Amino acid sequence: MFRAASHQWSGRIARMAMSPAQKSNGAMPALTRGAFALRSASSQRILRPALCASFHSSPYRLSAEQANLMKEPPVITTETITVGGQTYTKDAFSNVTPTILEKTTRQLHLIPTHPVAIIKDLIASTFPDFKHYDTFSPVVTTKENFDDLCFAADHPGRAVTDTYYLNEKVMLRTHTSAHQLKVMTESDKILVTADVYRRDEIDASHYPVFHQMEGAQLFDAKTAVEDIKALITRDLAAAGAASKAIQTTDTTVITPENPKQAAHDEAAMLAVADHLKHSLNLMIRRLFSHEKDLQVRWIDATFPFTSPSWEMEILYQGKWLEVLGCGVIQQDILKNAGKPDKIGWAFGLGLERLALVLFGIPDIRLFWSQDERFLKQFEPSKIQKFKPFSKYPACIKDISFWTPEKFHENNFCEIVRDVAGDIVEDVHLIDEFTHPKTKKRSVCYRINYRSMDRNVTNAEINELQEKLREEVVQRMKVDLR
Ligand code: PHE
């Protein structure tokens, strides 16, 4: 998440500061995706078919030809990166790896029987008259991902340690908000679903690619108060008793830390905020309609592109889980979209996080499995409990080295991913110390190798570990111990 008053980039900063012991305790700061207790999902539930229309006329939707180009294997040479039929010249910023680029071809959210797509369709069906875009290329400009959304020039989210760059100006989107400006020029009610990419650590709940759904609704600033009152009255009458089935707590208030924008009329802004929370409460209630005692709470948040801003959390098996970020859209963004007389809200949610909970899926890597035992379990528009299949044995290897001056754990994890791909289940820092005389820091990481789909041999893992040792020395200039 792009949040926190200190302009930190997401929970990741907090997460990096966590000790391995904290991690194994399950302590987890808020994130758009992350570890949380998994419930045993309820029995099969038939959901309403999705109402997401297709909009072939949209200039921003990939044509069939472009979509096919997206499926072609990306190519990285020493000079260039080719993805989606486009070639980009590399520079000092380029840090995207073949393993990551390969993920751009998968498009999980477009496979109707995939849990990510099932959740996408279900959420879309709660916004039936919204224009839904779901085939945008993940390659965007830094202007689209950051500048257009009012990110400060020195925002940590721009760092090469957090973001995958093709070159200085072109990157893999880190959030679906990268498309907000474009789509808002087209419609006042929009949804965008897409794969997003963030450099990260490795464990059962973190993966460098995940899926988000963005939603936004705009109103005429002059009539927003009356228009919204009528909309909410209509919705509540339609939802009836069902809308009250889940307990919602909202103690947020407009404060100097989470302020109204100067450009906004207070009554209009409050009406928009009401409509935002009302729409998202209805959405989450429908998604968890089988959950008798689901509790939802709203907390304050900070994003560069909304003010005021909030996060929704749900209480799940005793832990508060962050589900989405949202807020009142920065008026400058609406001005740039050619809509200065509108006022509106936007939200962004992580689909894997909801799918893990709703389907009871224990490991985020399973979403990427090509194993039929995973893929054949699900049906379009149905939430059903994941049936675990036997795990293949793990193979554990440690690697120790003296860290260079500018050591960043994400860079190390990136090399692990690049060498071993999805065969790595997790990477944990198991030991570290600073030499009393030389002040040099030594770290020891434990790598847990386990395939989701097959038995791995010790010889094969030894070879990978040897390759990893070589790459770590070469790319990070470390001294192995
Ligand atoms: N883009 C934000 C994220 O990825 C979520 C968000 C979307 C917040 C829209 C506010 C409005 O964390």
Side-chain angles (χ1 to χ4, degrees):
M1 290 293 247
F2 305 103
R3 60 182 209 117
S6 56
H7 295 287
Q8 286 183 346
W9 163 268
S10 87
R12 78 186 53 223
I13 288 172
R15 227 184 314 141
M16 281 177 335
M18 272 196 304
S19 68
Q22 267 176 308
K23 281 190 203 175
S24 60
N25 281 342
M28 187 50 90
L31 294 167
T32 17
R33 54 199 168 128
F36 37 83
L38 298 172
R39 68 190 192 83
S40 59
S42 70
S43 52
Q44 292 199 353
R45 207 153 60 87
I46 311 228
L47 304 166
R48 249 192 245 174
L51 290 172
C52 44
S54 52
F55 293 91
H56 303 292
S57 57
S58 162
Y60 304 115
R61 201 181 157 101
L62 291 181
S63 65
E65 193 191 337
Q66 285 168 317
N68 279 338
L69 283 173
M70 260 343 279
K71 292 199 192 108
E72 274 180 23
V75 180
I76 303 188
T77 69
T78 46
E79 311 279 291
T80 61
I81 299 172
T82 304
V83 52
Q86 291 272 346
T87 299
Y88 305 89
T89 306
K90 282 164 79 169
D91 62 21
F93 277 71
S94 314
N95 64 352
V96 68
T97 63
T99 319
I100 293 300
L101 273 187
E102 188 267 326
K103 299 287 189 273
T104 63
T105 63
R106 297 283 302 276
Q107 306 289 297
L108 303 184
H109 61 291
L110 300 179
I111 304 169
T113 53
H114 195 284
V116 165
I118 294 170
I119 301 294
K120 168 194 94 161
D121 286 343
L122 180 62
I123 296 174
S125 73
T126 68
F127 296 97
D129 52 350
F130 280 49
K131 191 164 176 173
H132 190 178
Y133 304 79
D134 60 6
T135 59
F136 289 149
S137 163
V139 180
V140 300
T141 60
T142 49
K143 180 175 178 298
E144 290 166 312
N145 199 87
F146 298 124
D147 306 339
D148 286 351
L149 291 160
C150 317
F151 277 73
D154 60 351
H155 192 285
R158 297 180 186 253
V160 285
T161 47
D162 284 34
T163 294
Y164 291 107
Y165 285 91
L166 279 72
N167 61 38
E168 189 180 357
K169 297 258 157 24
V170 182
M171 56 180 284
L172 297 180
R173 71 183 148 230
T174 59
H175 57 167
T176 40
S177 305
H179 304 287
Q180 256 191 30
L181 181 62
K182 268 185 182 178
V183 297
M184 284 188 321
T185 62
E186 282 210 350
S187 175
D188 287 353
K189 295 178 188 178
I190 52 106
L191 294 175
V192 177
T193 305
D195 40 337
V196 302
Y197 298 76
R198 296 185 193 175
R199 297 188 75 190
D200 219 328
E201 59 195 68
I202 304 178
D203 67 26
S205 58
H206 294 104
Y207 203 80
V209 194
F210 62 105
H211 294 78
Q212 280 191 330
M213 185 181 253
E214 188 94 0
Q217 180 161 2
L218 312 183
F219 306 86
D220 286 331
K222 286 219 171 64
T223 58
V225 175
E226 303 86 72
D227 294 351
I228 287 171
K229 206 168 155 200
L231 284 176
I232 294 182
T233 311
R234 187 202 64 186
D235 283 356
L236 289 181
S243 70
K244 297 191 188 72
I246 290 165
Q247 192 190 320
T248 311
T249 316
D250 184 357
T251 52
T252 62
V253 279
I254 311 300
T255 58
E257 288 76 45
N258 196 16
K260 171 183 100 61
Q261 296 170 45
H264 288 159
D265 168 66
E266 185 164 335
M269 181 277 289
L270 290 173
V272 168
D274 260 5
H275 191 258
L276 166 63
K277 289 176 176 173
H278 155 85
S279 307
L280 293 172
N281 283 336
L282 282 185
M283 180 275 291
I284 206 78
R285 281 169 182 155
R286 272 202 49 197
L287 210 52
F288 286 86
S289 54
H290 57 294
E291 197 72 35
K292 288 282 164 302
D293 53 359
L294 183 78
Q295 287 186 45
V296 172
R297 77 173 180 195
W298 288 94
I299 56 168
D300 286 310
T302 305
F303 302 100
F305 36 95
T306 50
S307 188
S309 309
W310 302 279
E311 277 164 10
M312 178 200 269
E313 294 185 336
I314 57 176
L315 188 63
Y316 210 79
Q317 294 200 336
K319 280 187 194 156
W320 286 104
L321 312 173
E322 178 196 320
V323 168
L324 60 84
C326 62
V328 179
I329 299 166
Q330 284 289 351
Q331 205 57 25
D332 277 348
I333 301 176
L334 292 182
K335 265 189 222 153
N336 292 338
K339 300 197 167 168
D341 301 329
K342 302 268 173 171
I343 180 168
W345 54 250
F347 71 84
L349 60 80
L351 289 170
E352 274 83 350
R353 168 159 272 201
L354 287 169
L356 284 169
V357 171
L358 286 162
F359 288 82
I361 293 173
D363 189 319
I364 201 159
R365 288 182 308 159
L366 276 163
F367 291 118
W368 299 89
S369 169
Q370 315 255 27
D371 190 324
E372 297 219 324
R373 290 177 302 170
F374 179 75
L375 291 171
K376 290 260 160 87
Q377 285 197 22
F378 309 106
E379 290 166 54
S381 309
K382 247 190 208 175
I383 290 182
Q384 56 200 88
K385 187 184 177 341
F386 166 68
K387 292 184 215 73
F389 41 88
S390 63
K391 268 193 170 189
Y392 290 94
C395 182
I396 289 166
K397 302 274 171 202
D398 294 345
I399 178 168
S400 304
F401 50 86
W402 296 106
T403 56
E405 232 174 74
K406 280 195 186 150
F407 175 71
H408 196 295
E409 190 170 279
N410 282 357
N411 291 340
F412 172 66
C413 286
E414 195 61 53
I415 299 176
V416 180
R417 281 191 197 286
D418 211 22
V419 169
D422 286 355
I423 278 184
V424 178
E425 183 166 283
D426 51 44
V427 176
H428 283 299
L429 182 65
I430 55 162
D431 191 26
E432 66 180 312
F433 76 92
T434 305
H435 192 281
K437 286 225 178 81
T438 63
K439 300 284 179 251
K440 276 174 82 180
R441 183 169 162 256
S442 161
V443 290
C444 178
Y445 283 98
R446 173 154 295 168
I447 302 169
N448 187 1
Y449 294 91
R450 189 204 309 266
S451 166
M452 309 289 278
D453 327 308
R454 63 190 176 84
N455 261 317
V456 289
T457 63
N458 205 25
E460 170 189 8
I461 300 303
N462 278 340
E463 213 174 286
L464 283 177
Q465 182 75 3
E466 208 30 61
K467 176 100 177 56
L468 174 68
R469 293 171 67 86
E470 282 166 23
E471 290 285 319
V472 166
V473 170
Q474 215 199 343
R475 294 206 230 163
M476 293 201 311
K477 311 274 178 268
V478 306
D479 291 324
L480 294 177
R481 301 193 54 223

